[in-house]
Amino acid sequence: MKTVSKIIAVVCLFWGANAFSQTKWTLEECVEHAIKNNVSIKQIELDNKLAEIDIKDAYGGFLPNVNASASHSWNIGLNTNITTGILENQTTQFTSMGASAGVDIFKGMQNQNRYRKSKLALISSQYQHLKMEEDVALNVVNAYLQVLFNKETLKVQKQQLNTDSLQLVRSQALVDAGMIPSGDLFDMKATIATDKQRIIQAEYALLVSKMSLAQLLQMEDFKEFDIADVEYEFQPNTIFFESPESIYEKARSERTELKIAENNVKIAEKDVDIAKGAHLPTLTGFYSFSSRVSYAKIPDGQGGETSPPPFFDQFDLYKGHSFGLQLNIPIFNGFAARNNVQRTKVNLEKNKLALAQTELDLERNIYTAYSDAKGAMETYLATKEMLKAREEAFRYTKERYENGMATAFDYNQSQTVLVNTQSDLLRTKYDYLFRTRILEFYFGIPIIQRD
């Protein structure tokens, strides 16, 4: 009883908070909000930015490296005067400046392949982003339908309580008329207590499903969260006009996970090309410029000293240029280049196997989804027929009970079976909706139509 009281308190608190006017979320709004606020999606968006930076890095490999340098030094004691070449015991100052540039003319096509690889990596990151959005949307749809299912279940339980409450009044009249024993009233009261218990359980299940959906939407405050009361009716889906084979063929050209696996193979191929480039010679062009300025006095040729030339005169006098080409031919590096090529080839084979496995998984998932969706449809139709039979059986039992030909136990048993069948019908309906949505998703129909 303490547990039930706690559940009632939680439910009342939740519904009390929701008693005020609130915005009810549609399925499209839930999906949009989840995609905008999902942490994993935000992380992949950052990965996209890093991939774009990697492209800039790879592009920079085609550009020259330019560096400039400058220094100023003090030399105290016996040292060589760089202007006269004579050893002197003095304090001198020197300023030197320079600039250099180098550019890769040929590097075994490594720069080109790194650039192509970086562009493929960005495409993979974008596919990962799309895949995460699809997964989030699918989870939201499932959670949203679960809330709707619990709402309809709660509605059925409340309707059943109203029906049983009216039946209690009729039973009292039948007892007063002497048509049924007074003991049947206790059974009817027990039935009403059971109905109330089921309502509490349904309200709690609805509360939990709303909280799960709100958490999936990354909502900080979900006390007043609620969804729109939408009733989805069962409708035959045209997706069943397609065969599992045709759905698979369509999915092979459109499914994101397959594109990711195919792109990973292309990236691995570029890694092999980059590794092979280490076996080829490299040709680098270089250029450098330097000059210096001395602040030491210089002999005047008459036994005296004179001030050094002006700064810019010395800078122009002592300037120098150096340029040329450098060719490096790899001969032996301890099998490092060879092993790296073999390593990238193994990684390429692993990615090819991963692609083949992804194709197999996709085929298996589609056939499973097709069977699940078709089974859900057949289960719903069978349950619907069963419900008709249960309703007739309950109507018959109810008439017999009101005429004193059946006991309250018979009435309650028939009603319990009817309520369970009604619940099964709701469950199978929403299971069918979700299963067909998954099958449509594999066929290329978006989970949610987005602008």
Side-chain angles (χ1 to χ4, degrees):
M1 289 302 294
K2 290 183 179 180
T3 302
V4 174
S5 300
K6 290 180 180 179
I7 293 174
I8 294 175
V10 172
V11 172
C12 291
L13 177 62
F14 180 83
W15 289 112
N18 282 276
F20 302 100
S21 59
Q22 58 188 219
T23 301
K24 294 192 175 183
W25 293 57
T26 64
L27 178 57
E28 291 76 10
E29 290 172 340
C30 287
V31 172
E32 289 291 341
H33 187 274
I35 289 176
K36 288 180 181 178
N37 295 275
N38 185 268
V39 175
S40 298
I41 291 178
K42 290 182 178 180
Q43 289 176 338
I44 294 182
E45 289 174 351
L46 295 177
D47 291 338
N48 289 344
K49 293 181 179 180
L50 291 176
E52 292 173 354
I53 296 174
D54 290 339
I55 290 180
K56 295 178 181 178
D57 280 341
Y59 182 76
F62 296 101
L63 304 177
N65 295 317
V66 180
N67 298 287
S69 62
S71 67
H72 185 87
S73 61
W74 288 263
N75 296 322
I76 302 174
L78 187 64
N79 53 76
T80 302
N81 189 319
I82 64 173
T83 303
T84 63
I86 300 174
L87 288 172
E88 300 178 6
N89 192 1
Q90 61 179 348
T91 299
T92 58
Q93 297 183 57
F94 300 97
T95 297
S96 62
M97 290 160 284
S100 62
V103 62
D104 291 326
I105 299 175
F106 180 77
K107 200 177 180 181
M109 299 297 291
Q110 288 182 318
N111 288 339
Q112 291 86 342
N113 288 322
R114 283 195 180 97
Y115 181 69
R116 293 164 185 161
K117 175 188 173 182
S118 65
K119 294 179 73 174
L120 290 171
L122 175 60
I123 293 174
S124 283
S125 183
Q126 291 171 342
Y127 281 145
Q128 291 285 0
H129 185 270
L130 178 60
K131 179 68 169 58
M132 182 60 67
E133 286 187 347
E134 292 171 346
D135 292 343
V136 169
L138 202 59
N139 291 333
V140 170
V141 169
N142 187 24
Y144 193 93
L145 292 177
Q146 185 64 41
V147 175
L148 287 179
F149 164 69
N150 288 328
K151 277 193 168 189
E152 290 201 28
T153 300
L154 178 59
K155 188 185 300 183
V156 168
Q157 297 298 341
K158 288 183 176 180
Q159 290 174 350
Q160 192 60 51
L161 175 60
N162 292 333
T163 300
D164 288 341
S165 297
L166 293 175
Q167 186 60 40
L168 178 62
V169 175
R170 295 193 200 97
S171 297
Q172 182 65 57
L174 292 175
V175 170
D176 294 340
M179 298 182 65
I180 61 174
S182 58
D184 285 357
L185 286 177
F186 296 105
D187 288 331
M188 287 304 305
K189 291 179 180 179
T191 299
I192 291 177
T194 302
D195 292 340
K196 292 179 179 179
Q197 184 182 26
R198 286 174 177 170
I199 289 175
I200 292 174
Q201 293 172 347
E203 288 176 337
Y204 183 72
L206 177 59
L207 170 61
V208 172
S209 62
K210 283 185 178 181
M211 291 176 60
S212 298
L213 177 57
Q215 291 173 350
L216 190 60
L217 300 183
Q218 304 288 331
M219 298 181 67
E220 295 181 359
D221 184 11
F222 49 81
K223 292 182 179 179
E224 296 186 7
F225 172 75
D226 197 6
I227 67 172
D229 296 324
V230 180
E231 292 188 6
Y232 290 96
E233 297 297 332
F234 174 86
Q235 293 181 351
N237 199 303
T238 56
I239 192 65
F240 292 110
F241 292 145
E242 303 289 339
S243 65
E245 293 81 6
S246 63
I247 296 175
Y248 173 66
E249 289 302 320
K250 180 90 178 287
R252 287 189 62 183
S253 62
E254 296 187 5
R255 285 302 307 134
T256 307
E257 61 266 30
L258 205 57
K259 291 180 180 179
I260 293 173
E262 291 172 348
N263 210 57
N264 287 341
V265 172
K266 295 178 182 178
I267 292 175
E269 290 173 344
K270 292 303 172 187
D271 282 333
V272 174
D273 293 337
I274 293 171
K276 287 181 177 179
H279 289 293
L280 300 177
T282 61
L283 181 63
T284 304
F286 63 88
Y287 167 80
S288 65
F289 167 83
S290 63
S291 184
R292 59 183 172 81
V293 176
S294 172
Y295 300 94
K297 294 183 178 181
I298 59 176
D300 58 3
Q302 298 178 358
E305 293 180 332
T306 183
S307 299
F311 182 92
F312 287 103
D313 289 347
Q314 290 191 64
F315 184 85
D316 183 66
L317 178 65
Y318 297 119
K319 67 183 178 182
H321 303 270
S322 175
F323 58 89
L325 299 173
Q326 180 177 344
L327 178 66
N328 291 323
I329 301 175
I331 297 176
F332 182 74
N333 56 5
F335 301 112
R338 177 178 176 273
N339 291 337
N340 194 36
V341 172
Q342 296 299 320
R343 189 179 296 110
T344 55
K345 286 184 176 179
V346 171
N347 187 57
L348 174 60
E349 292 302 315
K350 290 175 63 178
N351 279 278
K352 288 181 177 179
L353 291 175
L355 173 59
Q357 185 62 50
T358 302
E359 291 178 341
L360 291 174
D361 292 342
L362 179 62
E363 184 178 20
R364 182 181 66 253
N365 291 339
I366 288 176
Y367 274 84
T368 302
Y370 190 90
S371 299
D372 290 344
K374 196 168 184 179
M377 179 183 67
E378 294 173 351
T379 302
Y380 173 82
L381 294 176
T383 307
K384 190 174 182 180
E385 291 298 319
M386 184 187 300
L387 180 60
K388 293 179 180 179
R390 295 299 185 192
E391 288 174 342
E392 288 297 318
F394 177 70
R395 185 185 60 80
Y396 177 70
T397 303
K398 181 180 178 182
E399 289 179 354
R400 295 187 64 216
Y401 171 73
E402 291 177 348
N403 291 321
M405 301 175 63
T407 64
F409 177 80
D410 297 330
Y411 176 88
N412 293 337
Q413 284 292 102
S414 180
Q415 178 180 261
T416 299
V417 173
L418 174 62
V419 172
N420 291 338
T421 306
Q422 289 173 333
S423 178
D424 288 341
L425 185 66
L426 290 175
R427 178 182 53 79
T428 55
K429 181 180 74 172
Y430 283 102
D431 185 55
Y432 165 78
L433 289 172
F434 183 65
R435 299 296 179 184
T436 53
R437 187 65 64 92
I438 292 177
L439 197 58
E440 290 175 339
F441 172 62
Y442 281 123
F443 193 62
I445 300 175
I447 299 174
I448 294 294
Q449 296 293 337
R450 301 172 60 194
D451 296 334

